[in-house]
Amino acid sequence: MKIFDSKAQSLIDFVPLTAGKVGIYVCGPTVQSAPHVGHLRSAVAFDIVARWLRIGHALDVNLVRNVTDIDDKILVNASELGRDWRELAVEVENEFNGVYDALWANVSKLPHATAHIPQMIVFIERLIERGHAYLASNGTSNVYFDTASHKTYGELTNQKLENMEGEEIGGGRRAAQDFALWKSAKPGEPETAIWDSPWGKGRPGWHIECSAMTLSELGEAFDIHGGGLDLRFPHHENELAQSSAAGYGFAKHWMHNGLVTVSGTKMSKSLGNGVSVEDLFAQANAVAIRYWLASAHYRSSLDYSAIVLADAVSAVGRVLNFVRRAAEIVEVSKTELPNEFVQAMNNDFNVPEALAVLHETVRAGNTALDSDDSASVAEALSKVTRMAEVLGIDLSGNEKVTSAETAELIEGLIAKRNQARADKDYALADLVRAELTAMGVTIEDQADKTVWMWSN
RNA sequence: GGUGGAGUGGCUGAGCGGCCCAAAGCAGCAGCCUGCAAAGCUGUAAAACCACGGGUUCAAAUCCCGUCUCCACCUCCA
């Protein structure tokens, strides 16, 4: 199993720290505003990683995705809306979880920053004791990480301190690159966002929550740390600095997913070119969206367009059509994954290549269907089912709930059309079909019967 | 200025020294099937001269050098 380690900047042979088990920590959202496509891509990418390690390698995967539910932006957005920040955070988080659910991208654990404040304080104390953090010189309770004290600072992104732009020196810090571990409470901030600490009232800085939560959830050292490419610096660099300065092994490997772009430019909150989840779901169903999100290799950038989404709908439809037809005549049985599929997944999760195998199997299955070779149909169906499980393609995903009355109505129309066909009254038959189409129903005439399904 | 990534058919997107006269999907065309469709199968066009120019090699989309273009990070972001 090869994985591209973005810290080593090379492909590594993946060997779990503890035999049979894998600990993965992926940076989840800061719940400040609604999810956008980029969040979904990251979630799907790491969901596939977890699925493959579980299904393809029989590993016990502990996938942790944090929820950063205390942060400047949350406070700012809440105050702009005149709302309680905690309420906003919960609401946004629910929104995130709803989409993750819809896309089949769930995780083992969802630790919250606000539930780990004591652990963060302990962590910061430890850094101060070890000489890697200091209290601000301006009389506030700000605490900063001392980047100069940590000689490997910059190792994740291969940067030297002197080349970094840094922020303006302020807030009582010693160097531009030093970052806040603890932020002093400021006037006007809600009481509920202020915690006591050995240094005074305040709240945690941005990066410390992840270091503290990896420690609580996965221990001093764990296998993989993941997240979007845009988090490499400063967030992951700083996490790594904190945790290694604290004396912990931290992440053995790093994985970063590529970004979602629109016309070649990164989709981001600040640029305002983000495509909302509503936009996305208005154009395609969840299975197709997930397929699209996985259709480029996880390290490549993924360009968004309406066309590309429509392509995904067609491509998934092809798979789903085969499964539907095949399932009418054969059962899914136990079978091995195709070798090429396994090879592809083992090669740094090459999903596009794996999808090629999936489609080849579908074609073989369709050919078998056309030639009534039910043994081959069953084989193809079983393989497709297993591959879909690895990739998280919900094969029942296109089924819409239909009431008995609606089904009866549709079946009545189909019977009417088939009678017309038997009578060779094709004008009437086509009229009925047009009626069905208008209802959003697609029909398919098979040798001995007519089946129907909701159009995409 | 520093650090990374990318340029492959009409579109999306793999491949990263020989299995590549380049996977897979979408779109197009033709045939089969169908009353006609849909779904499906088969075949297939557009010079895919793999950004461009050199080089290494028996062999390069894949390695090296140079050039151009684009993107990301160094500020909040998956």
Side-chain angles (χ1 to χ4, degrees), chain A residues 14 17 29 61 63 66 120 140 197 199 204 280 292 344 394 439:
Chain A
F14 180 68
L17 285 169
V61 179
L63 177 61
N66 71 291
M120 294 185 220
T140 64
S197 83
W199 320 286
L280 213 55
W292 167 64
D394 183 356
M439 289 170 67

Side-chain angles (χ1 to χ4, degrees), chain A residues 7 17 118-130 132 145 150 152 155 208-223 225 238-254:
Chain A
K7 176 163 176 276
L17 285 169
Q119 289 90 330
M120 294 185 220
I121 290 173
V122 169
F123 207 107
I124 296 168
E125 282 187 302
R126 186 178 168 98
L127 286 172
I128 294 174
E129 278 163 27
R130 298 180 136 241
H132 291 295
F145 183 86
H150 190 57
T152 53
E155 62 177 329
I208 194 67
E209 85 282 15
C210 285
S211 286
M213 287 191 278
T214 59
L215 188 61
S216 316
E217 300 296 337
L218 297 168
E220 294 188 9
F222 56 96
D223 297 286
H225 189 132
N238 291 352
E239 277 185 50
L240 174 60
Q242 290 161 351
S243 291
S244 57
Y248 302 129
F250 205 51
K252 187 178 180 195
H253 302 297
W254 291 80

